[in-house]
Amino acid sequence: MREWTDEFITDAQQELVGMVKDWKYDYGADDKACSAMLLWMVLKLNPKAEIDPKMLQVSDEHP
């Protein structure tokens, strides 16, 4: 496994954003559906993860 450098994290974030854009384009998924899929992936990797249902609320505010 590669070391978790700033470059590695930046690359991983860019890949993740690209994957979500693909979901939106290919499947017409909205932000809530993409969030649900990402949280499902977290649960597959860590079944004991505690996920707050509020994480699926889509905010009108964009940072």
Side-chain angles (χ1 to χ4, degrees):
M1 184 173 141
R2 288 175 43 190
E3 187 175 336
W4 288 60
T5 62
D6 287 342
E7 179 184 9
F8 174 81
I9 292 169
T10 298
D11 289 346
Q13 288 172 334
Q14 289 174 351
E15 287 184 39
L16 184 58
V17 167
M19 183 171 48
V20 169
K21 285 182 181 179
D22 288 345
W23 292 343
K24 288 181 176 186
Y25 179 80
D26 293 342
Y27 306 108
D30 61 9
D31 287 344
K32 188 172 183 175
C34 291
S35 297
M37 179 59 80
L38 292 170
L39 291 173
W40 175 81
M41 290 177 175
V42 168
L43 287 174
K44 291 298 282 183
L45 292 170
N46 182 4
K48 294 181 181 182
E50 293 182 26
I51 296 178
D52 184 349
K54 292 178 188 173
M55 294 176 88
L56 288 172
Q57 291 177 346
V58 179
S59 173
D60 290 334
E61 299 174 18
H62 296 282

